[in-house]
Amino acid sequence: MNFSIADNIARVRAQIQAACQAAGRAPDSVQLLAVSKTWGPDAVRQAHAAGQTAFGENYIQEAVDKITALRDLPLEWHCIGPIQSNKTRLVAEHFDWVHSVDRLKIAQRLSEQRPPELSPLQVCIQVNIDGGENKSGVSPQELPALAQAVAALPRLQLRGLMTIPEPAETEAQMRAVHAQAKALFEALRQQGLPLDTLSMGMSADMAAAIAEGSTLVRVGTAIFGQR
């Protein structure tokens, strides 16, 4: 059976609602970020027509072309992919959110290059929560110092953390890793940082992430299908 993008969004939202209910959380405490990488503007328009306004992109140049083509829609754009130094200006000028800051140099460039007429860039720090060798992200040990430094930069607003853990075989393993991220998040809040966003969970581990406190889940294939 072929489902439309609107059908898929409704199904994912129902899954989020069920996971929130199981965790004793309010359904509106978790935001859905539709990951639209490799999909064209038409797919984003269909998702927007179904009520989706926040979209995540991994590939910066592709995203900028899409953002430009969709200027007529009131969309919120999140950069969720790795950022090289030569791409920070594009990110600073076009995106509303960045989830993938993992070193101070990138944050400083984003701060310097954010146009003054735009609202502050909303930032999450990416944490390599389980030590994956090929993963981006700051180590948990280096996170507190980086978070304090990023929070002090002008034109940026530090909102929270983002994680992409290695695939786990069981629900318990998934929850254990997400619980580690939640603990880091709460530790930073106790240090006085006003964080409110925990970007963790994708299609495969969404329920486990919500059970452990995720406030934003990033879902692509379950909405747009296989490329």
Side-chain angles (χ1 to χ4, degrees), residues 98 101-108 110-111 121-126 138 143-160 193 195:
V98 180
V101 169
D102 62 359
R103 54 197 191 279
L104 185 57
K105 175 185 175 183
I106 294 298
Q108 289 170 330
L110 291 170
S111 172
L121 188 60
Q122 308 299 296
V123 172
C124 290
I125 293 175
Q126 183 173 351
V138 65
L143 171 64
L146 178 60
Q148 293 289 348
V150 171
L153 292 171
R155 312 295 310 142
L156 304 181
Q157 183 174 354
L158 181 61
R159 297 291 295 273
L193 294 175
L195 307 184

Side-chain angles (χ1 to χ4, degrees), residues 43-92:
V44 175
R45 286 188 185 279
Q46 289 178 52
H48 174 261
Q52 181 65 27
T53 56
F55 293 88
E57 292 282 334
N58 291 62
Y59 309 118
I60 292 166
Q61 186 58 60
E62 174 203 322
V64 168
D65 294 342
K66 209 176 300 182
I67 292 167
T68 303
L70 294 165
R71 286 278 187 218
D72 57 308
L73 297 181
L75 305 179
E76 182 180 88
W77 293 98
H78 296 235
C79 177
I80 59 175
I83 305 170
Q84 297 173 321
S85 294
N86 64 351
K87 292 290 199 303
T88 52
R89 185 174 296 280
L90 286 174
V91 174

Side-chain angles (χ1 to χ4, degrees), residues 2-218:
N2 290 324
F3 290 98
S4 69
I5 287 173
D7 292 334
N8 293 342
I9 288 174
R11 194 163 56 253
V12 170
R13 289 194 181 281
Q15 291 168 352
I16 292 171
Q17 188 165 2
C20 286
Q21 190 170 6
R25 298 179 58 190
D28 61 359
S29 64
V30 179
Q31 180 185 7
L32 171 60
L33 184 67
V35 178
S36 46
K37 66 177 181 183
T38 75
W39 290 91
D42 287 348
V44 175
R45 286 188 185 279
Q46 289 178 52
H48 174 261
Q52 181 65 27
T53 56
F55 293 88
E57 292 282 334
N58 291 62
Y59 309 118
I60 292 166
Q61 186 58 60
E62 174 203 322
V64 168
D65 294 342
K66 209 176 300 182
I67 292 167
T68 303
L70 294 165
R71 286 278 187 218
D72 57 308
L73 297 181
L75 305 179
E76 182 180 88
W77 293 98
H78 296 235
C79 177
I80 59 175
I83 305 170
Q84 297 173 321
S85 294
N86 64 351
K87 292 290 199 303
T88 52
R89 185 174 296 280
L90 286 174
V91 174
E93 291 178 349
H94 291 89
F95 284 87
D96 304 295
W97 280 72
V98 180
H99 294 227
S100 45
V101 169
D102 62 359
R103 54 197 191 279
L104 185 57
K105 175 185 175 183
I106 294 298
Q108 289 170 330
R109 290 177 66 90
L110 291 170
S111 172
E112 292 163 3
Q113 294 168 347
R114 182 68 168 175
E117 68 273 14
L118 296 181
S119 59
L121 188 60
Q122 308 299 296
V123 172
C124 290
I125 293 175
Q126 183 173 351
V127 185
N128 186 349
I129 193 68
D130 51 7
E133 290 185 10
N134 299 316
K135 285 280 175 61
S136 301
V138 65
S139 71
Q141 294 75 23
E142 296 172 331
L143 171 64
L146 178 60
Q148 293 289 348
V150 171
L153 292 171
R155 312 295 310 142
L156 304 181
Q157 183 174 354
L158 181 61
R159 297 291 295 273
L161 305 180
M162 186 266 264
T163 62
I164 310 176
E166 296 288 341
E169 293 181 5
T170 68
E171 179 90 359
Q173 289 171 335
M174 292 178 193
R175 288 191 59 163
V177 175
H178 293 314
Q180 292 174 36
K182 174 69 168 177
L184 293 174
F185 175 81
E186 292 299 344
L188 293 176
R189 284 165 54 92
Q190 289 173 9
Q191 292 173 21
L193 294 175
L195 307 184
D196 62 6
T197 301
L198 196 50
S199 169
M200 65 182 189
M202 297 182 279
S203 297
D205 62 346
M206 187 167 66
I210 290 171
E212 295 299 336
S214 172
T215 67
L216 182 149
V217 292
R218 309 179 304 272

